[in-house]
Amino acid sequence: MKTNAELQKDVQDAIKWEPLLHSEEIGVAAKNGVVSLTGTVDSYAKKIQAEKAASNVPGVKVLVENIKVKFPDPRSKTDNEIAREIIAAFESNTVIPEEKIHVKVEDGWVDLDGELAWDYLREITENSIQFLPGVKGIFNNIIIKPDIQNTIEKKMWKKPSEEVRSTAKKLMYRYPEQQLR
């Protein structure tokens, strides 16, 4: 097991390797596998990158994250400006089913709600807005509800293709002694 000093140094080194982060922005404390991150960064993406870097270090049992997001521009973006940028981000990505996603912006914090059939769509939706200026954080509450029933029914009632029928006929002629059902 690592000592507290070794764990702290390993987390600091992991943060140094992240391209967006500057080690002086993030403070690291470690005690018995509990790692605390403190500091102030200028984007939500940096906050997420610090969390991921620290949580991937072997020996980290619990991560306590106290990183604040503060924008360098004294005129931070309004919620309306952020909302317009979110709409533009969704419209520019044809994979995102924007009609199934409900967005709420409050004081720079974005709530994503809705139901999607696939987790990758949930992740693409969040990733498309996490680097937008003015976004302090994202609550991704999108629920994954697979459309499995509809898929099964389509496959059950689908008529066999011509290729399948042709193969079945060939097998019947080749092996007449066996009953194909």
Side-chain angles (χ1 to χ4, degrees):
M1 186 165 157
K2 295 180 183 181
T3 66
N4 292 336
E6 290 172 333
L7 184 57
Q8 180 181 12
K9 182 171 179 359
D10 288 350
V11 173
Q12 288 170 335
D13 288 345
I15 288 172
K16 285 180 187 175
W17 279 100
E18 293 301 324
L20 287 179
L21 300 177
H22 303 288
S23 57
E24 62 273 1
E25 291 177 320
I26 310 292
V28 179
K31 186 171 184 177
N32 299 328
V34 177
V35 173
S36 297
L37 301 179
T38 57
T40 303
V41 294
D42 60 0
S43 74
Y44 176 68
K46 286 184 176 183
K47 178 178 177 171
I48 294 300
Q49 198 168 49
E51 289 174 15
K52 287 181 180 178
S55 63
N56 288 332
V57 172
V60 175
K61 295 178 183 174
V62 177
L63 183 65
V64 178
E65 183 273 313
N66 289 316
I67 299 173
K68 306 288 184 232
V69 177
K70 186 171 182 176
F71 300 107
D73 184 2
R75 184 196 152 266
S76 62
K77 295 200 176 250
T78 67
D79 290 343
N80 285 336
E81 290 170 323
I82 294 170
R84 281 193 294 275
E85 289 188 18
I86 290 171
I87 290 170
F90 285 177
E91 288 175 347
S92 69
N93 190 333
T94 58
V95 176
I96 297 174
E98 56 189 287
E99 69 281 353
K100 294 183 177 184
I101 299 169
H102 307 286
V103 180
K104 179 181 119 185
V105 181
E106 185 176 333
D107 194 30
W109 286 87
V110 180
D111 285 335
L112 298 175
D113 293 296
E115 290 182 359
L116 297 176
W118 300 97
D119 190 51
Y120 82 92
L121 291 173
R122 180 181 183 273
E123 289 178 17
I124 287 172
T125 302
E126 181 175 347
N127 291 343
S128 71
I129 64 173
Q130 76 177 5
F131 292 103
L132 293 178
V135 174
K136 292 180 183 175
I138 300 171
F139 296 110
N140 192 342
N141 304 315
I142 296 174
I143 297 169
I144 305 305
K145 201 168 193 179
D147 192 17
I148 193 75
Q149 184 66 32
N150 195 15
T151 303
I152 291 172
E153 287 175 3
K154 283 180 185 175
K155 291 201 185 279
M156 282 177 47
W157 296 108
K158 188 176 180 181
K159 291 186 178 181
S161 67
E162 188 58 41
E163 182 181 340
V164 171
R165 280 190 286 254
S166 169
T167 304
K169 285 179 185 178
K170 287 177 187 175
L171 288 172
M172 286 191 320
Y173 291 121
R174 186 177 293 165
Y175 305 104
E177 67 279 356
Q178 293 183 4
Q179 292 283 336
L180 294 177
R181 293 179 187 189

